[in-house]
Amino acid sequence: MENGSARATMTEFWQEHSEQATVEEMMLDSNARIISREEVPEILATLPALGGLRVLELGAGIGRYTQHLVKVASQVTAVDFMQKFLDKNKEDNGHHGNAEFIQADATQLDFPENSFDLVFSNWLFMYLSDTELLSLAGRMLDWLSPGGYLFFRESCFHKSGDNNRSVNPTLYRSPSQYNHLLTSVVRDDPASGASQGSGFEIVMNKSVQTYIKMKKNQNQLCWLLQKVRRNCSANQGFATFQQFLDSQQYSRRGILRYEKIFGHGFISTGGAQTTEEFVDMLALLPGQRVLDVGCGIGGGDFYMARKFGASVLGIDLSSNMVEIAMERSVEENLPSVQFEVGDATRRIFPECSFDVVYSRDTILHIADKLALFKQFYSWLKPGGKLLISDYCCGEKPWTPAFQDYVKRRGYILHTPPDSWRRRGLGVSERRIGPPSLSRSSRRSCGERRHCERSSFRSSLKRITATLCRAGGRSCNAVSRGTRDGGCSTLSDSETERYKQC
């Protein structure tokens, strides 16, 4: 909406759809009340703990969310473009002493720095141009306190509501467009020099499950972003580590290349065969909840749901991975498997949420592994299980070639003792034989093997799988895996597929 004409069209559109200030008008759907009953609790469950927070609610409408926010937050500032919506909101929620109501165009708002701890926006950004959204993102960074959150929800690709519309001023972006726009903005910190500033990083991005369940519609998506300190010289020149992954290590083309090597649905060594072996260790039961950290394109998640009846949430920081996984989920038709773009180091889950945490070849990307393991422990139910496979390194000194390789790939590698025993997990290890591993297949195999030539063989090791069980106050861990002194090992069939790529 970069000119007066576009803003006039928007005003006319919402005047037409706000005459009675009903939820059906606001949601542009005749089934709005039924949808809202399930959607509101789902959305609220994605937010950080609201107790004591100062909340700015943009596009507050008639107060579907205001009525819940004011009961927990210390202060709620509800803003809407349409006076009739705002009047209805104030009528229903104005008796709360911690609520303020402002009729305004969100692009014209101005608040002092560090005024809020959470900005909550529902169906607003899709009515703004790219220029307006970038400008608003910068100002939201100013308004938020350090570590503050931005939640937003939008319709992507196409409309969802069934109301007739004489005009439709909505801009239906793709999720990747929102990811890029919101994370590309950096606010400089004059006190820290040109290389320091603040920006948004993605905590979570997922489909709204209510719309999948009730409308078989995956185009309703929500995000949780966090304002963080950003070193503009880090991440190989990219704004965020996620952008580095999607642009370099896990481009869509590269992901599909890995899949051609390891088999349909898989991007890790051994493909379906090692996945089946590892998952079978877990002795899953129908209905158990599994969190897959670094889910890739979902092959293991579909296997767990299909064979064992598990309910699986796969998260991955690479939006390219999740996009492909969601495409495959349509083919698989397994509603018990869901995917989201998520940062495991920032994601928030209630304690005792999962029976199993499962992670394949992911933690090498994470620096503070101990903090992550503490998160895993918190998320697991008593007696819950943790299964990890990951890449580790041999003792230093490393060869210069290997040091350069690790730096370029952005890996954080530890020796097995550093990764486990020194972090209080009390791991014991024993060997099991991976399937179909011949001596002739133990060879240098390019970037997916995390090594380039045989000179790396003494530098890189791998723990194939580590299985832990969470007890009452401790984690007793048993490692079942192999550690070879060089590259991760390909089977003969994988080696042949690699040659063909």
Side-chain angles (χ1 to χ4, degrees):
M1 314 309 154
E2 296 183 359
N3 53 54
S5 175
R7 185 59 74 215
T9 300
M10 183 70 68
T11 302
E12 181 181 350
F13 174 81
W14 280 110
Q15 284 176 342
E16 177 186 353
H17 295 285
S18 64
E19 291 183 358
Q20 305 301 317
T22 65
V23 68
E24 288 82 7
E25 286 181 314
M26 191 179 67
M27 293 178 65
L28 301 170
D29 199 301
S30 60
N31 296 307
R33 293 182 189 276
I34 298 172
I35 295 171
S36 192
R37 278 199 293 269
E38 292 205 27
E39 179 199 84
V40 170
E42 178 187 349
I43 294 294
L44 292 174
T46 67
L47 301 179
L50 295 172
L53 298 189
R54 301 163 297 165
V55 179
L56 171 62
E57 185 185 7
L58 299 177
I62 63 174
R64 276 202 310 148
Y65 291 99
T66 310
Q67 63 180 315
H68 300 281
L69 298 173
V70 292
K71 294 176 183 177
V72 185
S74 65
Q75 175 68 34
V76 176
T77 302
V79 179
D80 200 88
F81 187 50
M82 301 310 299
Q83 187 66 53
K84 288 187 177 180
F85 282 160
L86 196 75
D87 288 345
K88 176 62 174 173
N89 193 348
K90 190 172 183 179
E91 176 186 335
D92 292 343
N93 300 299
H95 62 284
H96 293 279
N98 61 336
E100 178 184 8
F101 302 87
I102 301 174
Q103 189 278 321
D105 183 335
T107 65
Q108 304 300 316
L109 288 171
D110 187 25
F111 296 104
E113 292 185 4
N114 300 327
S115 294
F116 304 102
D117 305 299
L118 169 68
V119 175
F120 180 95
S121 172
N122 189 65
W123 284 323
L124 170 66
F125 297 168
M126 61 188 187
Y127 298 114
L128 305 181
S129 69
D130 288 358
T131 301
E132 287 175 326
L133 181 52
L134 288 168
S135 175
L136 179 60
R139 282 179 286 125
M140 288 190 294
L141 281 170
D142 293 336
W143 302 338
L144 280 169
S145 58
Y149 291 93
L150 165 64
F151 173 91
F152 69 98
R153 177 272 193 85
E154 306 297 334
S155 300
C156 295
F157 303 116
H158 56 81
K159 75 174 188 177
S160 297
D162 60 7
N163 282 17
N164 293 326
R165 311 176 198 187
S166 55
V167 294
N168 188 356
T170 313
L171 178 58
Y172 297 111
R173 297 181 176 92
S174 68
S176 60
Q177 287 176 301
Y178 281 113
N179 291 342
H180 174 73
L181 287 168
L182 271 299
T183 60
S184 65
V185 179
V186 179
R187 278 306 213 226
D188 293 335
D189 182 356
S192 301
S195 65
Q196 297 292 324
S198 295
F200 286 120
E201 292 198 0
I202 296 173
V203 175
M204 173 277 299
N205 165 216
K206 67 173 185 175
S207 294
V208 178
Q209 300 305 306
T210 297
Y211 273 75
I212 295 176
K213 176 182 175 181
M214 301 184 72
K215 291 198 164 203
K216 301 188 186 305
N217 182 348
Q218 297 192 50
N219 80 309
Q220 290 294 316
L221 285 99
C222 61
W223 283 258
L224 184 65
L225 277 63
Q226 188 173 24
K227 175 182 175 179
V228 300
R229 300 284 303 155
R230 185 175 290 176
N231 184 344
C232 300
S233 62
N235 301 317
Q236 310 287 343
F238 291 88
T240 66
F241 184 60
Q242 186 213 31
Q243 290 182 16
F244 166 65
L245 289 178
D246 280 337
S247 299
Q248 297 293 310
Q249 294 196 26
Y250 301 127
S251 66
R252 185 179 179 92
R253 180 180 178 183
I255 293 167
L256 297 177
R257 180 173 177 263
Y258 295 154
E259 185 184 31
K260 187 174 181 181
I261 299 169
F262 299 120
H264 183 72
F266 297 95
I267 58 167
S268 290
T269 303
Q273 200 167 2
T274 53
T275 296
E276 291 171 11
E277 183 178 3
F278 292 164
V279 171
D280 287 353
M281 294 179 188
L282 298 170
L284 290 171
L285 298 174
Q288 286 192 314
R289 296 193 67 205
V290 179
L291 175 66
D292 184 357
V293 177
C295 63
I297 57 178
D301 301 334
F302 298 133
Y303 173 74
M304 285 186 267
R306 189 167 46 246
K307 181 173 180 179
F308 299 97
S311 175
V312 187
L313 172 60
I315 68 173
D316 203 293
L317 189 57
S318 166
S319 59
N320 291 334
M321 293 282 196
V322 173
E323 183 177 304
I324 295 172
M326 292 179 71
E327 291 171 3
R328 302 292 166 78
S329 69
V330 175
E331 305 168 10
E332 295 284 345
N333 192 27
L334 288 167
S336 59
V337 179
Q338 303 297 333
F339 298 100
E340 66 177 58
V341 177
D343 183 341
T345 67
R346 303 182 188 279
R347 190 65 171 92
I348 302 166
F349 293 109
E351 289 188 5
C352 304
S353 291
F354 300 98
D355 299 284
V356 170
V357 175
Y358 176 88
S359 181
R360 295 289 307 278
D361 308 350
T362 295
I363 298 175
L364 75 163
H365 293 300
I366 296 171
D368 194 345
K369 303 180 195 301
L370 178 57
L372 182 68
F373 296 154
K374 288 179 178 178
Q375 289 275 73
F376 289 168
Y377 184 79
S378 170
W379 299 339
L380 281 169
K381 299 176 183 179
K385 298 174 184 177
L386 166 65
L387 189 146
I388 292 171
S389 71
D390 203 27
Y391 292 85
C392 296
C393 62
E395 299 291 345
K396 294 185 177 180
W398 295 342
T399 65
F402 184 65
Q403 291 184 55
D404 179 65
Y405 176 82
V406 171
K407 181 178 180 181
R408 284 188 288 108
R409 301 292 290 177
Y411 294 151
I412 301 95
L413 302 177
H414 297 289
T415 64
D418 284 337
S419 294
W420 299 103
R421 294 191 185 91
R422 296 178 193 174
R423 295 182 183 274
L425 295 179
V427 175
S428 61
E429 299 172 9
R430 68 182 182 86
R431 291 176 179 270
I432 62 171
S436 304
L437 297 182
S438 66
R439 285 184 180 274
S440 62
S441 68
R442 300 185 181 218
R443 64 188 67 182
S444 174
C445 45
E447 64 179 5
R448 181 55 193 168
R449 308 284 45 79
H450 303 291
C451 51
E452 292 172 331
R453 292 290 182 265
S454 58
S455 62
F456 292 163
R457 289 186 180 277
S458 62
S459 301
L460 188 65
K461 296 184 179 181
R462 181 180 181 187
I463 297 180
T464 305
T466 300
L467 178 64
C468 305
R469 182 185 295 273
R473 296 183 60 83
S474 64
C475 182
N476 300 316
V478 178
S479 171
R480 295 178 171 91
T482 64
R483 288 187 299 162
D484 53 50
C487 307
S488 307
T489 313
L490 289 172
S491 68
D492 291 334
S493 59
E494 289 172 339
T495 302
E496 188 58 34
R497 285 197 294 273
Y498 179 85
K499 291 176 180 177
Q500 295 171 358
C501 290

